[in-house]
C-alpha cells in the first residue's frame, strides 16, 4: 500500500467513525452534536472517497445502509430461541393475580422487583450480530419461524450496523420493536393522501407496511425507529444478573432503549407506574398500547420459566384501545364559520381511546370517496390522545345490502342556499354568505373590518354578543340598532354605545369597491373589488353580469367569476343587499370614463416620501387612471414617482432609463388628467 493509499484508508476509517458517532447521538440518544450541514459534509466526503476507492467499501459503512440493488428476500428464518408473546392483564386485579402467582411459585416473602417498560406498538424484530456486525434481521413470524428482512432493517438509522465498544460476545441476538413515531406517521399519511393513495390505519400498520417492502430504498424513506427490549446471547457468555443491567449493556452497544423504563418493587408500585405512564401516553412521541412488567432478576426468570407460548415472568397491562369498530348510522353535513360544508359521521356510540365517541368528521367528499364510506358501513374508529376521532377504514366484509352512498346536499342544511363545489377544490361551500346563520358572525366581522366598511368599535366581542342575543341576523340589522339595544348589553356604557352607533352610521356611504369587498364574496379581495367597481360602475351591473362579462375584468378568471355569479344568484344575498339599501346604505357609483383609461396596462412605482398626499392616495389616483402600482422597479416599469429621499428604486429607474417624475411633476400630471 502506498502512503497516499494508507492516508485515504485512514481518512475513510476516520470519517466512518465520526459519522457513526453522529448517527448514534442523533438517532439513538436524540442529542446531536453537530449541525446537519457538517454531518452532510462528512457524509459526502466519505461517499466520494468510496466512489474513487471501491476497494475500501465495507458492508458496515454508514453509506451502505441501502445496499445497491439489494432486495429483501423474506426467506424463512428459524429462531434459535423462540420469540414468545406476552400474557395480558386487563385490570388491576389481573395484575395482582399475576404478582401473587409469581410469589407463590417462588415462595417469596419479599416483594418482587419488576422492570416496567412501555409496550411499544410496532413489530418485534430479532437482530443477529456476529463479531459485532449485523448479519441477519428477522420478523417474529409465528414465534418459531420469521422472515429475513435484513436489507430493510439496515436502513433504520437507530439500528447499529456495527456494535459500539468492545466486550460483546461473538454471537449475540438483540430483540426489540420497530415502530413509526407519531409525527412521521402523520407526515407519511398526509403525503399518501395528497397523492390520492391508500393511507395507513395507524403507526403500527405503517411500520409493518414499511418493513414488508421488497425494495429497501422504499423502507429507507419511511421514518422508522428501533428500540431494544431484550438480549438473547446464543453462546456461552457471562450475563448480568438482572434484565435491567442487560438493557444497560445493550444500550452501551449502541441501541436505543426506552427512556421511560423504570424499576418497581411490589405490585403497588407497578400499578402506580401503569397510571403514570397512561397519563403520559398522549404526549409520548410514539404509540404505546400498555406497559410490560418483567421480573428483574434473570435467575428468577429462569426459575419461573414458560407456559405454552408466554413467559411466566412477564405480563402486559393494556391501556384502553385507540381503535374500535362501530357502525355509521348516518352522515350529516355541518356548515362552518367560513361556509365550508363538512360531512360528519353519526356513529353507533363506541368506547375508544378512553371516551365514548358518537361523531367523527369525514372532512370532505374526497375523503369519503378515498375511504369508500357508505351509510350503514362498519368502520374502524381511531382516537389517539386528544386527537379528534377519525374514521380510518371500512370493513367491506361487513357492508350490509342496505348500505347507502353519501351524497353532498344540493342546498345548505342551515340556510337552504345552494352548495357550491368548485372543481379541483376539496371543500364544498354554502353560497349563502351574508345570509347564512352559520356564517353570520364571520360575515359581520368581515363587513365591519377596516378594509371593508371600517366600523370602528365593532369588534369580535360585540359581534358575538349581538348575534348570540339574536339582535343582529344579517349586516343590515346593524343599521336598525338603537342606543337602548346597545346599552342593554353587558358592559356597554353610554359613551361606547354612542360611539358604536356613530361608527355604524358613518359606514352608510361607502365607495362602491369597499362595499363589494364587504359583501365577502369568495376570493373577491380588495384588488378584485376595485377592478369590478371601475369596470362596471354599479353594483347592479355586476350583479347582472354573466361569467363571460365578468371575465373581461382584469384578474377575474373563471373561478372568481363563478363565485361572483353564484353569490348574486342566491335570492338571500339579494334580499340582504335590498335590506341594506332600505336601511339607508348608499354605495356610491363609480364614474366610468367614457374613454379608455390613459394609464391602462402601465405599471407605476411610488418611492420616497410625498408631502402633499399619502402613498395610499397617490396609489388610488393612479389606479383610477388605470395604472397598476408595483413595489419594485423593472425594465417594464412605465414611470417612477420619486418623493423626498428616494433611494435605491430611483437609482435603479435611472440606470434602466425608466421615466421619473418628481412630486411636483406628478401633481401636475394628475391635475391634467382629472375629470
Ligand atoms: S417482551 C418474552 N417488551 O409485545 C417477552 N415486548 O405481546 C416477549 N412489545 O411481540 C416480548 N414492547 O412486539 C416485550 N418492552 C417490550 C415490548 C414488547 C412491545 C411487543 C412485542 C411482542 C409483543 C408481545
Amino acid at each position: 500500500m502506498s502512503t497516499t493509499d494508507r492516508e485515504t484508508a485512514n481518512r475513510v476509517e476516520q470519517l466512518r467513525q465520526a459519522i457513526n458517532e453522529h448517527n448514534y447521538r442523533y438517532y439513538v440518544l436524540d442529542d446531536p452534536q453537530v449541525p446537519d450541514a457538517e454531518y452532510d459534509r462528512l457524509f459526502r466526503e466519505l461517499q466520494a472517497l468510496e466512489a474513487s476507492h471501491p476497494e475500501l467499501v465495507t458492508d458496515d459503512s454508514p453509506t451502505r445502509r441501502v445496499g445497491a440493488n439489494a432486495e429483501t428476500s423474506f426467506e424463512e428464518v428459524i429462531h434459535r430461541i423462540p420469540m414468545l408473546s406476552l400474557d395480558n392483564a386487563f385490570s388491576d386485579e389481573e395484575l395482582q393475580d399475576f404478582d401473587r402467582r409469581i410469589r407463590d411459585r417462588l415462595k417469596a416473602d419479599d416483594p418482587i422487583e419488576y422492570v416496567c417498560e412501555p409496550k411499544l406498538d410496532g413489530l418485534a424484530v430479532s437482530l443477529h450480530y456476529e463479531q459485532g456486525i449485523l448479519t441477519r434481521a428477522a420478523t417474529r413470524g409465528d414465534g418459531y419461524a420469521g422472515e429475513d428482512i435484513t436489507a430493510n432493517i439496515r436502513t433504520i438509522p437507530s439500528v447499529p450496523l456495527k456494535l459500539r465498544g468492545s466486550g460483546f460476545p461473538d454471537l449475540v441476538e438483540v430483540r426489540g420493536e420497530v415502530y413509526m413515531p407519531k409525527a412521521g406517521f402523520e407526515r407519511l399519511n398526509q403525503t399518501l393522501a395528497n397523492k390520492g393513495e391508500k393511507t395507513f390505519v395507524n403507526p403500527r400498520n405503517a411500520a409493518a407496511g414499511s418493513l414488508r417492502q421488497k425494495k429497501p430504498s422504499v423502507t429507507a424513506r419511511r421514518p422508522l425507529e428501533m428500540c431494544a427490549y431484550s438480549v438473547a446471547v446464543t453462546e456461552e457468555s457471562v450475563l448480568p444478573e438482572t434484565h435491567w443491567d442487560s438493557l444497560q449493556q445493550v444500550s452501551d452497544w449502541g441501541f436505543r432503549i426506552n427512556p421511560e423504563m423504570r424499576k418497581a418493587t411490589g405490585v403497588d408500585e407497578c400499578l402506580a407506574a401503569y397510571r403514570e405512564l397512561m397519563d403520559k401516553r398522549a404526549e409520548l412521541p410514539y404509540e404505546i398500547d400498555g406497559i410490560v412488567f418483567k421480573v428483574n432478576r434473570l435467575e428468577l426468570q429462569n426459575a419461573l420459566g414458560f407456559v405454552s407460548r408466554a413467559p411466566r415472568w412477564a405480563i402486559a397491562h393494556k391501556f384502553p384501545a385507540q381503535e374500535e369498530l362501530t357502525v355509521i348510522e348516518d352522515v350529516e353535513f355541518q356548515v362552518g364559520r367560513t361556509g365550508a360544508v363538512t360531512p360528519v359521521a353519526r356513529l353507533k356510540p363506541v368506547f375508544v381511546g378512553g371516551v365514548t365517541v358518537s361523531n367523527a368528521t369525514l372532512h370532505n367528499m374526497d375523503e369519503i370517496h378515498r375511504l369508500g364510506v357508505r351509510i350503514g358501513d362498519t368502520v374502524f374508529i381511531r382516537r389517539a390522545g386528544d386527537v379528534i376521532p377519525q374514521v380510518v377504514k371500512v370493513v367491506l366484509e361487513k357492508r350490509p345490502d342496505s348500505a347507502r352512498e353519501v351524497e353532498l346536499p344540493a342546498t345548505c342544511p342551515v340556510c337552504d342556499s345552494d352548495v357550491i363545489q368548485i372543481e379541483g377544490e376539496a371543500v364544498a361551500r354554502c353560497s349563502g354568505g351574508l345570509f347564512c346563520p352559520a356564517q353570520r358572525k364571520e360575515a359581520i366581522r368581515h363587513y365591519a373590518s377596516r378594509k371593508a366598511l371600517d366600523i370602528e368599535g365593532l369588534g369580535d366581542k360585540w359581534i358575538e354578543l349581538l348575534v348570540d342575543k339574536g339582535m343582529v341576523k344579517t349586516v343590515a340589522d346593524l343599521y336598525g340598532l338603537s342606543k337602548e339595544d346597545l346599552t342593554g348589553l353587558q358592559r356597554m356604557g353610554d359613551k361606547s354605545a354612542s360611539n358604536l352607533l356613530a361608527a355604524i352610521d358613518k359606514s352608510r356611504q361607502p365607495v362602491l369597491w369597499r362595499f363589494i369587498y364587504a359583501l365577502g364574496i369568495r376570493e373577491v379581495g380588495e384588488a378584485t373589488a376595485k377592478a369590478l367597481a371601475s369596470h362596471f360602475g354599479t353594483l347592479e351591473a355586476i350583479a347582472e353580469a354573466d361569467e363571460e362579462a365578468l371575465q373581461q375584468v382584469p384578474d377575474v378568471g373563471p373561478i372568481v367569476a363563478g363565485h361572483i355569479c353564484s353569490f348574486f344568484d342566491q335570492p338571500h344575498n339579494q334580499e340582504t343587499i335590498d335590506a341594506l339599501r332600505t336601511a339607508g346604505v348608499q354605495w356610491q357609483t363609480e364614474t366610468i370614463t367614457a374613454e379608455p383609461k390613459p394609464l391602462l396596462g402601465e405599471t407605476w412605482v411610488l418611492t420616497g416620501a410625498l408631502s402633499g398626499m399619502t402613498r395610499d392616495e397617490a396609489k388610488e389616483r393612479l389606479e383610477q387612471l388605470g395604472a397598476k402600482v408595483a413595489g419594485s422597479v423593472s425594465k417594464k416599469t412605465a414611470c417612477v414617482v420619486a418623493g423626498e429621499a428616494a433611494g435605491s428604486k430611483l437609482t435603479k429607474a435611472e440606470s434602466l432609463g425608466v421615466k421619473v417624475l418628481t412630486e411636483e411633476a406628478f401633481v401636475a400630471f394628475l391635475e391634467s388628467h382629472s375629470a
Side-chain angles (χ1 to χ4, degrees):
M1 214 189 236
S2 73
T3 326
T4 41
D5 281 350
R6 195 164 306 116
E7 273 169 13
T8 310
N10 286 343
R11 179 64 186 155
V12 162
E13 195 39 47
Q14 220 176 27
L15 286 166
R16 284 183 188 153
Q17 272 179 21
I19 292 167
N20 280 336
E21 186 64 24
H22 294 321
N23 269 342
Y24 174 67
R25 303 213 63 119
Y26 189 93
Y27 292 106
V28 177
L29 302 184
D30 283 333
D31 180 24
Q33 291 294 292
V34 291
D36 290 357
E38 169 66 8
Y39 175 87
D40 291 344
R41 266 192 294 280
L42 298 174
F43 200 86
R44 277 198 300 269
E45 187 185 343
L46 178 59
Q47 274 178 324
L49 286 177
E50 287 181 346
S52 52
H53 298 268
E55 72 284 1
L56 294 178
V57 175
T58 56
D59 230 25
D60 63 349
S61 170
T63 61
R64 301 288 129 166
R65 283 200 173 261
V66 184
N69 308 320
E71 279 208 349
T72 308
S73 71
F74 299 112
E75 264 170 37
E76 189 183 67
V77 168
I78 308 286
H79 298 300
R80 290 198 215 172
I81 306 171
M83 291 182 79
L84 300 166
S85 65
L86 291 169
D87 273 343
N88 290 316
F90 290 99
S91 65
D92 291 2
E93 291 69 39
E94 286 180 17
L95 190 70
Q96 281 154 345
D97 291 346
F98 161 79
D99 176 61
R100 194 171 310 113
R101 280 196 304 272
I102 286 183
R103 281 185 291 118
D104 288 350
R105 230 169 222 284
L106 295 174
K107 302 195 171 44
D109 296 326
D110 293 333
I112 305 288
E113 185 177 65
Y114 295 98
V115 177
C116 320
E117 299 171 16
K119 186 165 187 298
L120 295 161
D121 207 2
L123 288 100
V125 289
S126 137
L127 311 177
H128 274 253
Y129 288 83
E130 289 170 39
Q131 270 84 43
I133 303 287
L134 173 66
T135 49
R136 200 190 67 193
T139 61
R140 174 172 177 274
D142 63 4
Y144 299 99
E147 288 174 328
D148 189 319
I149 50 164
T150 315
N152 288 347
I153 287 291
R154 287 175 59 90
T155 69
I156 302 174
S158 46
V159 170
L161 297 180
K162 194 175 164 186
L163 299 182
R164 292 170 64 84
S166 55
F168 37 75
D170 280 353
L171 194 60
V172 57
E173 181 187 350
V174 174
R175 291 177 178 179
E177 197 86 346
V178 169
Y179 58 97
M180 191 176 285
K182 293 173 188 171
F185 165 72
E186 297 297 340
R187 249 182 286 123
L188 173 64
N189 259 0
Q190 196 58 58
T191 314
L192 292 171
N194 289 347
K195 289 197 274 185
E197 287 178 26
K198 251 181 92 175
T199 50
F200 290 104
V201 168
N202 54 34
R204 204 195 98 81
N205 285 24
S210 303
L211 280 186
R212 221 177 288 123
Q213 297 292 327
K214 197 106 183 97
K215 286 209 167 75
S217 54
V218 177
T219 311
R221 289 197 295 274
R222 301 284 172 83
L224 297 173
E225 285 182 7
M226 193 290 214
C227 183
Y229 56 61
S230 81
V231 54
V233 179
T234 47
E235 67 166 28
E236 279 304 301
S237 136
V238 190
L239 276 177
E241 289 184 358
T242 61
H243 173 64
W244 180 271
D245 288 344
S246 76
L247 289 183
Q248 300 312 311
Q249 198 176 55
V250 168
S251 160
D252 293 340
W253 294 341
F255 287 89
R256 182 188 263 273
I257 57 172
N258 197 292
E260 308 301 326
M261 217 164 50
R262 51 174 279 193
K263 289 187 230 177
T265 306
V267 72
D268 290 342
E269 283 188 25
C270 288
L271 287 170
Y274 172 82
R275 288 188 225 304
E276 273 170 35
L277 190 61
M278 186 141 77
D279 286 344
K280 256 187 145 175
R281 184 187 194 186
E283 71 199 45
L284 292 175
Y286 42 80
E287 291 223 322
I288 58 176
D289 56 352
I291 185 166
V292 185
F293 298 109
K294 298 176 182 169
V295 170
N296 192 21
R297 296 201 67 79
L298 297 181
E299 75 189 359
L300 297 186
Q301 287 191 1
N302 285 335
L304 288 161
F306 303 88
V307 52
S308 73
R309 304 187 53 185
R312 285 202 188 90
W313 44 264
I315 198 160
H317 194 179
K318 298 295 273 282
F319 292 149
Q322 294 186 325
E323 274 144 33
E324 288 293 351
L325 289 183
T326 191
V327 173
I328 297 200
E329 294 180 327
D330 200 0
V331 173
E332 287 173 12
F333 286 81
Q334 285 181 349
V335 189
R337 204 168 63 87
T338 60
V341 176
T342 309
V344 178
R346 303 289 177 218
L347 309 169
K348 185 162 174 246
V350 60
F351 189 74
V352 57
V355 296
T356 301
V357 170
S358 36
N359 301 305
T361 175
L362 286 164
H363 302 287
N364 53 52
M365 291 307 287
D366 284 358
E367 176 77 353
I368 289 181
H369 295 140
R370 197 181 60 74
L371 289 165
V373 169
R374 294 194 192 164
I375 298 164
D377 267 341
T378 296
V379 292
F380 273 76
I381 293 291
R382 179 176 156 78
R383 182 187 177 272
D386 294 332
V387 179
I388 49 169
Q390 304 275 340
V391 175
V392 286
K393 192 184 155 107
V394 173
V395 186
L396 282 176
E397 297 75 27
K398 297 201 174 195
R399 173 170 288 171
D401 291 342
S402 59
R404 282 184 293 130
E405 294 265 7
V406 181
E407 277 172 38
L408 181 69
T411 59
C412 171
V414 177
C415 75
D416 217 28
S417 302
D418 292 345
V419 167
I420 311 283
Q421 177 140 37
I422 302 283
E423 212 178 292
E425 267 188 36
V427 180
R429 288 178 194 277
C430 160
S431 56
L434 280 180
F435 169 82
C436 180
Q439 299 171 65
R440 209 166 265 169
K441 290 178 186 169
E442 187 64 15
I444 298 169
R445 195 194 57 72
H446 177 75
Y447 183 86
S449 67
R450 204 174 52 78
K451 286 180 181 164
L453 295 207
D454 194 17
I455 306 181
E456 223 179 78
L458 187 60
D460 289 352
K461 266 195 317 208
W462 299 125
I463 296 173
E464 290 279 321
L465 272 173
L466 290 166
V467 172
D468 291 345
K469 299 229 182 269
M471 294 162 73
V472 171
K473 293 201 169 64
T474 75
V475 288
D477 296 334
L478 291 171
Y479 298 94
L481 289 171
S482 68
K483 197 156 170 187
E484 292 73 60
D485 287 339
L486 291 182
T487 44
L489 289 172
Q490 57 199 51
R491 284 174 300 150
M492 179 65 112
D494 218 45
K495 181 131 175 34
S496 344
S498 306
N499 287 347
L500 180 53
L501 286 178
I504 292 173
D505 199 40
K506 216 175 101 193
S507 72
R508 277 184 215 264
Q509 293 194 321
V511 290
L512 180 58
W513 77 260
R514 282 192 194 274
F515 185 72
I516 296 168
Y517 173 72
L519 293 176
I521 306 168
R522 266 189 75 67
E523 292 192 36
V524 175
E526 263 178 290
T528 310
K530 283 180 188 170
L532 287 165
S534 71
H535 185 91
F536 289 101
T538 65
L539 189 70
E540 291 68 25
I542 300 171
E544 279 160 23
D546 60 15
E547 292 195 20
E548 203 180 326
L550 287 165
Q551 286 183 56
Q552 301 304 311
V553 179
D555 294 341
V556 175
I559 293 185
V560 179
H563 286 310
I564 299 169
C565 280
S566 60
F567 179 88
F568 287 107
D569 280 348
Q570 301 306 309
H572 305 313
N573 289 337
Q574 289 287 5
E575 280 160 24
T576 308
I577 292 170
D578 289 344
L580 283 167
R581 210 182 262 118
T582 313
V585 180
Q586 266 184 325
W587 42 98
Q588 289 139 34
T589 41
E590 196 94 354
T591 35
I592 322 178
T593 33
E595 264 115 86
K597 303 203 167 199
L599 304 185
L600 208 62
E602 290 190 7
T603 303
W604 284 52
V605 172
L606 297 163
T607 181
L610 301 174
S611 56
M613 66 182 92
T614 66
R615 202 45 98 83
D616 279 348
E617 281 163 354
K619 183 170 176 230
E620 204 160 325
R621 297 291 297 277
L622 283 168
E623 284 173 348
Q624 279 164 1
L625 294 171
K628 249 192 177 168
V629 178
S632 62
V633 178
S634 76
K635 273 200 310 233
K636 294 194 181 131
T637 310
C639 184
V640 171
V641 178
E644 194 68 26
S648 62
K649 289 182 197 169
L650 174 58
T651 325
K652 185 154 182 207
E654 283 167 348
S655 74
L656 290 172
V658 170
K659 188 167 110 188
V660 176
L661 290 182
T662 60
E663 179 170 355
E664 211 182 349
F666 178 56
V667 171
F669 172 86
L670 290 178
E671 274 168 11
S672 71
H673 284 85
S674 64

